[in-house]
Amino acid sequence: MLSRRFSMPEVQARTGDLKFNPFWALYIREMKRFLKVIFQTVFTPLINASLYLLIFGLSLGKSIHLANGLSYLAFLIPGLVMMSVLNNAFQNSSSSIVSGKFAGDLEDLKVVPLSSNQIIWALSIAGLCRGLFVGLITFLVGEIFYFIVENNLLTIANPLVLLFFLIAGGLIFAQLGITVAFWAKSFDQVSAVGSFILVPLIYLGGVFFSLNGLHPFWQNISKFNPVLYLINGVRYGLLGRCDVDINLAFVVCLATLILFFILAMRALKYGNFTRW
């Protein structure tokens, strides 16, 4: 599969290596796959982000007052950025595997000179790149809305913290997509996981609301949602404040990353490679 889609000169030109590198070939294939639908990759999140910011940030946001005096629009932007990263990282890795099953070429991964680690990381990094790309677009749209309303740009308070949570969150959801896609026995199962599990976790992870505004009972329930810590980590990196202990968010993020890497490895080893 890889040798058919990527000639030796092409891989050498892209990697700068004199020797064929199958890891980079798989990564390049995944990048080219989502870049072929660049219109969908760029304009869909552009429209979605604009609608979220217009409806929630501008229209409803005027009547929402946060306890710390932060504008609701500024509060909303980090959540939308992280939501874009997580959704697209999951969709990229899961759709790659599912389409490979349907086309019947996923079994080629069993014969290419790649270890399980290399396959997982090539798919994960490609999913992360798509997530970060769409997240950047969402952030730029948010900056435009923020400048229109506040006549100022939203500055990044902690760039390294922001980068850490964006990268970790993208890798976690890319590896979750790998796990789900390998175990799924139909397109409907992959779609069901996204619609009935991931979307509620993201929406209830603090994208649109502050944890401090909830009843104490629901605050305690929300703290079991790992997405809450990912979103609040990005909010801390961008705004310098969040609803959870940032040190706890680091620990939860790393633990979740390790867990989903193990699950992705097991799915690659025991999952289904053949067409349904």
PDB file of all heavy atoms in Angstrom, residues 71-84:
ATOM      1  N   SER A  71     -14.915  38.345  30.379  1.00  0.00           N
ATOM      2  CA  SER A  71     -15.993  38.364  29.392  1.00  0.00           C
ATOM      3  C   SER A  71     -16.274  36.940  28.920  1.00  0.00           C
ATOM      4  O   SER A  71     -15.369  36.111  28.806  1.00  0.00           O
ATOM      5  CB  SER A  71     -15.618  39.251  28.204  1.00  0.00           C
ATOM      6  OG  SER A  71     -14.596  38.657  27.426  1.00  0.00           O
ATOM      7  N   TYR A  72     -17.542  36.682  28.615  1.00  0.00           N
ATOM      8  CA  TYR A  72     -17.924  35.332  28.205  1.00  0.00           C
ATOM      9  C   TYR A  72     -17.288  34.969  26.864  1.00  0.00           C
ATOM     10  O   TYR A  72     -16.975  33.804  26.613  1.00  0.00           O
ATOM     11  CB  TYR A  72     -19.445  35.208  28.116  1.00  0.00           C
ATOM     12  CG  TYR A  72     -19.901  33.808  27.789  1.00  0.00           C
ATOM     13  CD1 TYR A  72     -19.786  32.787  28.732  1.00  0.00           C
ATOM     14  CD2 TYR A  72     -20.417  33.495  26.534  1.00  0.00           C
ATOM     15  CE1 TYR A  72     -20.182  31.493  28.435  1.00  0.00           C
ATOM     16  CE2 TYR A  72     -20.815  32.211  26.236  1.00  0.00           C
ATOM     17  CZ  TYR A  72     -20.699  31.212  27.185  1.00  0.00           C
ATOM     18  OH  TYR A  72     -21.088  29.931  26.891  1.00  0.00           O
ATOM     19  N   LEU A  73     -17.081  35.949  26.007  1.00  0.00           N
ATOM     20  CA  LEU A  73     -16.453  35.684  24.718  1.00  0.00           C
ATOM     21  C   LEU A  73     -15.030  35.173  24.905  1.00  0.00           C
ATOM     22  O   LEU A  73     -14.617  34.199  24.262  1.00  0.00           O
ATOM     23  CB  LEU A  73     -16.453  36.949  23.864  1.00  0.00           C
ATOM     24  CG  LEU A  73     -15.834  36.836  22.469  1.00  0.00           C
ATOM     25  CD1 LEU A  73     -16.576  35.786  21.646  1.00  0.00           C
ATOM     26  CD2 LEU A  73     -15.846  38.180  21.767  1.00  0.00           C
ATOM     27  N   ALA A  74     -14.275  35.811  25.795  1.00  0.00           N
ATOM     28  CA  ALA A  74     -12.911  35.348  26.084  1.00  0.00           C
ATOM     29  C   ALA A  74     -12.930  33.965  26.720  1.00  0.00           C
ATOM     30  O   ALA A  74     -12.046  33.141  26.452  1.00  0.00           O
ATOM     31  CB  ALA A  74     -12.208  36.345  27.002  1.00  0.00           C
ATOM     32  N   PHE A  75     -13.925  33.710  27.568  1.00  0.00           N
ATOM     33  CA  PHE A  75     -14.059  32.403  28.204  1.00  0.00           C
ATOM     34  C   PHE A  75     -14.368  31.319  27.177  1.00  0.00           C
ATOM     35  O   PHE A  75     -13.900  30.181  27.292  1.00  0.00           O
ATOM     36  CB  PHE A  75     -15.169  32.461  29.255  1.00  0.00           C
ATOM     37  CG  PHE A  75     -15.477  31.154  29.916  1.00  0.00           C
ATOM     38  CD1 PHE A  75     -14.763  30.734  31.033  1.00  0.00           C
ATOM     39  CD2 PHE A  75     -16.484  30.330  29.428  1.00  0.00           C
ATOM     40  CE1 PHE A  75     -15.040  29.525  31.640  1.00  0.00           C
ATOM     41  CE2 PHE A  75     -16.768  29.115  30.039  1.00  0.00           C
ATOM     42  CZ  PHE A  75     -16.050  28.717  31.142  1.00  0.00           C
ATOM     43  N   LEU A  76     -15.149  31.672  26.157  1.00  0.00           N
ATOM     44  CA  LEU A  76     -15.616  30.688  25.179  1.00  0.00           C
ATOM     45  C   LEU A  76     -14.536  30.270  24.192  1.00  0.00           C
ATOM     46  O   LEU A  76     -14.483  29.099  23.788  1.00  0.00           O
ATOM     47  CB  LEU A  76     -16.807  31.276  24.421  1.00  0.00           C
ATOM     48  CG  LEU A  76     -17.474  30.417  23.348  1.00  0.00           C
ATOM     49  CD1 LEU A  76     -18.061  29.150  23.955  1.00  0.00           C
ATOM     50  CD2 LEU A  76     -18.551  31.217  22.631  1.00  0.00           C
ATOM     51  N   ILE A  77     -13.682  31.180  23.796  1.00  0.00           N
ATOM     52  CA  ILE A  77     -12.707  30.907  22.732  1.00  0.00           C
ATOM     53  C   ILE A  77     -11.794  29.719  23.048  1.00  0.00           C
ATOM     54  O   ILE A  77     -11.626  28.835  22.194  1.00  0.00           O
ATOM     55  CB  ILE A  77     -11.879  32.175  22.424  1.00  0.00           C
ATOM     56  CG1 ILE A  77     -12.780  33.225  21.759  1.00  0.00           C
ATOM     57  CG2 ILE A  77     -10.694  31.859  21.519  1.00  0.00           C
ATOM     58  CD1 ILE A  77     -12.114  34.572  21.568  1.00  0.00           C
ATOM     59  N   PRO A  78     -11.183  29.614  24.236  1.00  0.00           N
ATOM     60  CA  PRO A  78     -10.328  28.444  24.500  1.00  0.00           C
ATOM     61  C   PRO A  78     -11.088  27.122  24.419  1.00  0.00           C
ATOM     62  O   PRO A  78     -10.543  26.123  23.942  1.00  0.00           O
ATOM     63  CB  PRO A  78      -9.817  28.690  25.929  1.00  0.00           C
ATOM     64  CG  PRO A  78      -9.950  30.160  26.130  1.00  0.00           C
ATOM     65  CD  PRO A  78     -11.149  30.572  25.353  1.00  0.00           C
ATOM     66  N   GLY A  79     -12.333  27.110  24.889  1.00  0.00           N
ATOM     67  CA  GLY A  79     -13.119  25.884  24.820  1.00  0.00           C
ATOM     68  C   GLY A  79     -13.393  25.465  23.390  1.00  0.00           C
ATOM     69  O   GLY A  79     -13.310  24.278  23.051  1.00  0.00           O
ATOM     70  N   LEU A  80     -13.696  26.430  22.520  1.00  0.00           N
ATOM     71  CA  LEU A  80     -13.945  26.116  21.118  1.00  0.00           C
ATOM     72  C   LEU A  80     -12.676  25.631  20.424  1.00  0.00           C
ATOM     73  O   LEU A  80     -12.717  24.739  19.570  1.00  0.00           O
ATOM     74  CB  LEU A  80     -14.497  27.343  20.399  1.00  0.00           C
ATOM     75  CG  LEU A  80     -15.901  27.802  20.798  1.00  0.00           C
ATOM     76  CD1 LEU A  80     -16.299  29.038  20.008  1.00  0.00           C
ATOM     77  CD2 LEU A  80     -16.924  26.694  20.597  1.00  0.00           C
ATOM     78  N   VAL A  81     -11.542  26.221  20.784  1.00  0.00           N
ATOM     79  CA  VAL A  81     -10.265  25.787  20.198  1.00  0.00           C
ATOM     80  C   VAL A  81      -9.983  24.333  20.556  1.00  0.00           C
ATOM     81  O   VAL A  81      -9.655  23.507  19.688  1.00  0.00           O
ATOM     82  CB  VAL A  81      -9.105  26.693  20.681  1.00  0.00           C
ATOM     83  CG1 VAL A  81      -7.756  26.104  20.281  1.00  0.00           C
ATOM     84  CG2 VAL A  81      -9.255  28.097  20.108  1.00  0.00           C
ATOM     85  N   MET A  82     -10.134  23.998  21.830  1.00  0.00           N
ATOM     86  CA  MET A  82      -9.858  22.630  22.250  1.00  0.00           C
ATOM     87  C   MET A  82     -10.878  21.658  21.678  1.00  0.00           C
ATOM     88  O   MET A  82     -10.521  20.537  21.292  1.00  0.00           O
ATOM     89  CB  MET A  82      -9.857  22.538  23.786  1.00  0.00           C
ATOM     90  CG  MET A  82      -9.295  21.237  24.316  1.00  0.00           C
ATOM     91  SD  MET A  82      -7.644  20.876  23.630  1.00  0.00           S
ATOM     92  CE  MET A  82      -7.024  19.706  24.815  1.00  0.00           C
ATOM     93  N   MET A  83     -12.127  22.063  21.587  1.00  0.00           N
ATOM     94  CA  MET A  83     -13.145  21.200  21.000  1.00  0.00           C
ATOM     95  C   MET A  83     -12.809  20.878  19.552  1.00  0.00           C
ATOM     96  O   MET A  83     -12.957  19.742  19.095  1.00  0.00           O
ATOM     97  CB  MET A  83     -14.516  21.866  21.093  1.00  0.00           C
ATOM     98  CG  MET A  83     -15.654  21.002  20.575  1.00  0.00           C
ATOM     99  SD  MET A  83     -17.295  21.724  20.859  1.00  0.00           S
ATOM    100  CE  MET A  83     -17.212  23.109  19.706  1.00  0.00           C
ATOM    101  N   SER A  84     -12.315  21.868  18.816  1.00  0.00           N
ATOM    102  CA  SER A  84     -11.928  21.650  17.426  1.00  0.00           C
ATOM    103  C   SER A  84     -10.760  20.680  17.320  1.00  0.00           C
ATOM    104  O   SER A  84     -10.748  19.788  16.463  1.00  0.00           O
ATOM    105  CB  SER A  84     -11.554  22.987  16.776  1.00  0.00           C
ATOM    106  OG  SER A  84     -12.636  23.882  16.776  1.00  0.00           O
TER     107      SER A  84
END
